[in-house]
Amino acid sequence: RLKAAPREKKDRYGHGPFRDNVRQRREGFYEARYYFDRHRVSIYAPTEGEARKKLRAILVAIDNGTYVGRNRETFCGFLVNWVEHASKTSLRPNTAKKYRSYIIGHFLPCFGEKKLQEINTIMLQDFFDLKACSGRLDGKEGGLSHKTLVDMRNMLNKALNYAVNPGRLLASNPAREIELKFHRAQAVPLFTDE
């Protein structure tokens, strides 16, 4: 007597069973699951092979210590937290105060609730270009001074280096490639012909 092949059991939502952490979902695409920092994370792909390939790449990165998980932290929230942490360990009080004013006066109005992992070099470069031309908070015309722009870039570079290592919130530092552009003041003649 012939027996029919056993039917695959499906969960209550109609999705197929997991085989080596990959399964086909009811909608037709594939889901792969892994655990990172005690959280279960799912990734999706149109084919089983692609799902396995993505999963393998993530597991290798986790094993190598180079994996950066998803997080919901905002860019400005991270900067504020970093200043608070750094002020306890390495920043002088006046430096921490100056950095807080940069964050509240310049970064927060421009970046608002943008996520930390959405920030890239082009966005930061555009920000610094804008501040070099017209970034003063006192309402006067003109951009920020050379020293202020350098200080802001150095602060950002330190903070985002911390986000890369040991924070593991970013894969690389987007502030590393920022080039500052300065607008020179018009030359004022010292002597007149009179």
Side-chain angles (χ1 to χ4, degrees):
R1 196 170 194 215
L2 278 168
K3 286 188 176 180
R7 290 183 57 192
E8 291 183 351
K9 290 187 177 184
K10 296 186 176 188
D11 66 6
R12 64 182 176 193
Y13 303 109
H15 305 308
F18 278 99
R19 287 196 192 92
D20 297 326
N21 295 331
V22 177
R23 73 173 174 183
Q24 185 173 18
R25 294 182 55 95
R26 174 181 65 198
E27 297 87 357
F29 56 87
Y30 287 82
E31 173 185 15
R33 281 189 182 169
Y34 63 96
Y35 290 86
F36 183 72
D37 281 344
R38 298 183 305 270
H39 296 286
R40 184 176 65 202
V41 183
S42 292
I43 52 174
Y44 304 96
T47 66
E48 184 178 3
E50 285 182 47
R52 290 190 186 284
K53 186 175 179 181
K54 284 182 178 181
L55 180 62
R56 199 172 320 115
I58 289 172
L59 294 177
V60 166
I62 289 172
D63 289 343
N64 292 340
T66 58
Y67 179 71
V68 176
R70 290 181 268 178
N71 65 54
R72 295 187 175 110
E73 188 158 21
T74 64
F75 176 62
C76 293
F78 168 77
L79 291 177
V80 169
N81 291 338
W82 173 79
V83 167
E84 295 306 317
H85 171 74
S87 66
K88 294 175 186 169
T89 58
S90 61
L91 292 180
R92 293 179 180 171
N94 284 342
T95 305
K97 183 178 176 183
K98 178 173 62 172
Y99 285 177
R100 281 188 205 96
S101 72
Y102 291 160
I103 294 166
I104 293 168
H106 296 283
F107 289 103
L108 189 59
C110 188
F111 293 103
E113 292 296 313
K114 195 157 279 293
K115 302 289 184 225
L116 176 62
Q117 291 186 334
E118 294 174 3
I119 300 297
N120 59 38
T121 304
I122 295 170
M123 294 167 74
L124 294 176
Q125 185 67 58
D126 290 344
F127 169 80
F128 277 94
D129 291 347
L130 176 70
K131 292 298 177 179
C133 296
S134 61
R136 295 177 60 114
L137 296 178
D138 59 6
K140 295 180 183 176
E141 287 188 25
L144 297 176
S145 72
H146 174 77
K147 182 187 180 320
T148 302
L149 289 171
V150 169
D151 286 349
M152 287 173 70
R153 181 187 60 186
N154 291 344
M155 177 207 73
L156 198 57
N157 206 12
K158 288 177 191 174
L160 295 180
N161 275 338
Y162 184 81
V164 173
N165 190 16
R168 295 275 183 232
L169 301 173
L170 294 174
S172 64
N173 181 352
R176 195 177 42 205
E177 304 293 325
I178 294 173
E179 293 179 11
L180 297 178
K181 297 171 182 141
F182 304 104
H183 297 280
R184 301 219 181 261
Q186 296 292 325
V188 178
L190 296 176
F191 300 103
T192 60
D193 291 337
E194 297 173 7

